[in-house]
Amino acid sequence: MRRDLVVQVIVDYGDFWENFATPFEAESFINSYLDEYDLPQAVWLEDMRGNVKWGYDLIEDEAGIYRLVDQPVRNPGHLIRTPSN
């Protein structure tokens, strides 16, 4: 299996971080431990080599549950082109 295709969601609280297999697991942890840890400083998706693929914003819904929402692309004009043979 290619290691660059295996990803994990990192939830960073500053003093410590936790990793999860899916965004749903990360959301569940954040909401379950909200009273104890408050909100995390950052949440992102990275591959197993530590390369950050994208970040998440925490949005509170009408029921008071925090959801992870993909952050918008910061630089959509940057493309890497390779010459074809």
Side-chain angles (χ1 to χ4, degrees), residues 51-66:
N51 299 318
V52 176
K53 298 297 186 180
W54 63 78
Y56 291 104
D57 288 327
L58 278 170
I59 305 296
E60 186 177 12
D61 67 10
E62 304 83 31
I65 305 294
Y66 285 93

Side-chain angles (χ1 to χ4, degrees), residues 27 30-31 34-35 38-39 56-69:
E27 282 179 359
I30 290 166
N31 287 300
L34 194 57
D35 291 337
D38 203 20
L39 290 175
Y56 291 104
D57 288 327
L58 278 170
I59 305 296
E60 186 177 12
D61 67 10
E62 304 83 31
I65 305 294
Y66 285 93
R67 304 286 180 198
L68 295 177
V69 177

Side-chain angles (χ1 to χ4, degrees), residues 2 4 6-8 15 17 19 22-24 27 32 34 53 55-56 59 62 64-65 73 80:
R2 289 181 45 184
D4 62 332
V6 178
V7 293
Q8 59 187 352
D15 296 337
W17 57 270
N19 64 327
T22 65
F24 177 75
E27 282 179 359
S32 295
L34 194 57
K53 298 297 186 180
Y56 291 104
I59 305 296
E62 304 83 31
I65 305 294
V73 177
I80 299 173

Side-chain angles (χ1 to χ4, degrees), residues 21-49:
T22 65
F24 177 75
E25 290 176 348
E27 282 179 359
S28 297
F29 180 85
I30 290 166
N31 287 300
S32 295
Y33 290 97
L34 194 57
D35 291 337
E36 188 172 342
Y37 299 134
D38 203 20
L39 290 175
Q41 292 180 355
V43 182
W44 66 87
L45 184 93
E46 68 179 33
D47 64 18
M48 296 308 288
R49 293 183 180 169

